[in-house]
Amino acid sequence: MFSFTVAAVVFGVVFLAELPDKTALAGLVLGTRYRASYVFAGVAAAFTVHVALAIAAGSVLSLLPHRLVQAVVGVLFLAGAAVLIFRKGEDEEEVKKPADQSFWKVSGAGFMMILVAEFGDLTQIMTANLAARYDDPLSVGVGAVLALWAVAGLGILGGRTLMKYVPLALITKVAAAVMVLMAGFSLYEAITG
């Protein structure tokens, strides 16, 4: 059964973690060069594939003993928070311009770029962790996909404006704090469960 609460929690965590990621910048670059709807179609499809893979991995994790899973999820959330806090600034990736501006060329370039850049990325690992934590693949999947699509849309259409008003360092700190809270809840459940 679908849970709006789980979807909302997942949306918030994934959205905050993805905002400072290089893919938001890559979406911004693609959005300035090509038709935004074409770019979004390719990026959205790639994120959907990534979330499906993460949900599958998280569903496998949910078959393990609950206390063990909560302990592992808690440690992985702490590791994710550490990555956000201690990583160095990432350079914007160079995007190769497709030979033409057709839908398939532009959306294909966006799809391939995100598919490769996001494989094994922090938000994909977080999504798998959340799927294992909540044992609700539909709610986690919907929350994660909508969060990634929202960040992609912001990156493509309004990335520059957002970064003028909300410092990247603040976004990163808020995402790390949320991940530390999720780690605390998971570790508490592992100890008391």
Side-chain angles (χ1 to χ4, degrees), residues 1 6 51 55-56 59 62 130-131 134-143:
M1 185 147 114
V6 170
V51 168
I55 295 296
S59 295
S62 69
L130 289 162
Y134 291 112
D135 196 21
D136 185 354
L138 178 63
S139 302
V140 171
V142 168

Side-chain angles (χ1 to χ4, degrees), residues 50-138:
H50 276 285
V51 168
L53 292 172
I55 295 296
S59 295
V60 170
L61 286 175
S62 69
L63 298 175
L64 298 172
H66 181 72
R67 291 178 83 171
L68 174 64
V69 170
Q70 291 307 320
V72 169
V73 167
V75 169
L76 289 173
F77 273 127
L78 285 175
V83 166
L84 283 176
I85 292 169
F86 297 115
R87 76 175 169 190
K88 303 293 181 214
E90 295 175 338
D91 294 330
E92 190 176 300
E93 293 183 358
E94 186 61 35
V95 178
K96 292 183 180 176
K97 188 171 186 172
D100 63 47
Q101 297 278 326
S102 73
F103 172 80
W104 293 111
K105 293 283 185 176
V106 173
S107 63
F111 179 84
M112 290 308 296
M113 182 184 66
I114 297 300
L115 193 68
V116 172
E118 286 292 302
F119 198 81
D121 191 58
L122 176 64
T123 52
Q124 190 178 31
I125 293 167
M126 283 175 40
T127 302
N129 289 341
L130 289 162
R133 174 169 175 45
Y134 291 112
D135 196 21
D136 185 354
L138 178 63

